[in-house]
Every structure is written in C-alpha cells, then in structure tokens.
Amino acid sequence: QVQLVESGGGLVQAGGSLRLSCAASGRTFRINHMGWFRQGPGKEREFVAAITWSGGSTYYADSVYLQMNSLKPEDTAVYYCAADDAVVGGIGKYAYWGQGTQVTVSS
C-alpha cells in the first residue's frame, strides 16, 4: 500500500557531502514515522535517523531527505528508508522499505 524509492547515492571523496531522498507514494496518509537505515559491507542493518511524517497535516511532504556531511569511508553502505503504517504493522513499526541506494566514500 506504500511505495518507497531512495535516490541520491553515489561515489564521493572523504569529507564530501551527499543528500539522499526518499519518495513515498500510495497510502501515505497512514504513515506516522519514517526512518533511515544503512547496511555496510559485512555488517548488520543499523538505524541512522528518525523522521516525523507530515502526511496528516495541512501540508504534505512527498519526500524526506537525509543530509550527510563530512563523509567518511566507514559511512559506505546501502541506505534504506522505511515507513510505518497505522493499520499494517502499527505505529512505530516499520512495515515498508525501499530498495536502497548505494553510498560509497573513498579515502
């Protein structure tokens, strides 16, 4: 019922910056929270940041962003955005996930 698409990843030198985007579509009015996660090579998926979804307010946010500055090689990972659903899974539980976008930081 919800589709998430990440974009903005790529190859960047250490110390550089990237801005990741997550576009949400579908039944976004049932989203209460969104979050960013990442999974590096040989590592478990880890939480990066939480975002409050504004779909139920006067103004709607079609996309959420993750601004990353002063990037380090250890930031290299596939970055995912996720969303909860008030009905499917419940508030605070991430029921939907994007395909991910690759971020590679060279030293």
Side-chain angles (χ1 to χ4, degrees), residues 75-94:
D75 294 318
T76 295
V78 177
Y79 285 73
Y80 301 88
C81 67
D84 66 358
D85 189 298
V87 176
V88 180
I91 299 174
K93 298 181 179 180
Y94 295 108

Side-chain angles (χ1 to χ4, degrees), residues 12-31:
V12 63
Q13 296 288 319
S17 301
L18 283 175
R19 187 194 189 200
L20 306 184
S21 175
C22 176
S25 61
R27 309 185 79 88
T28 58
F29 54 86
R30 299 216 299 249
I31 296 175

Side-chain angles (χ1 to χ4, degrees), residues 38-102:
R38 70 182 183 186
Q39 185 169 15
K43 300 180 180 179
E44 296 292 320
R45 182 173 296 182
E46 63 178 331
F47 171 80
V48 177
I51 304 166
T52 300
W53 180 251
S54 60
S57 65
T58 302
Y59 299 98
Y60 293 83
D62 295 323
S63 300
V64 295
Y65 306 93
L66 178 65
Q67 180 67 47
M68 301 188 295
N69 303 313
S70 300
L71 286 166
K72 305 174 182 177
E74 51 262 43
D75 294 318
T76 295
V78 177
Y79 285 73
Y80 301 88
C81 67
D84 66 358
D85 189 298
V87 176
V88 180
I91 299 174
K93 298 181 179 180
Y94 295 108
Y96 305 106
W97 296 80
Q99 293 290 330
T101 184
Q102 177 71 50

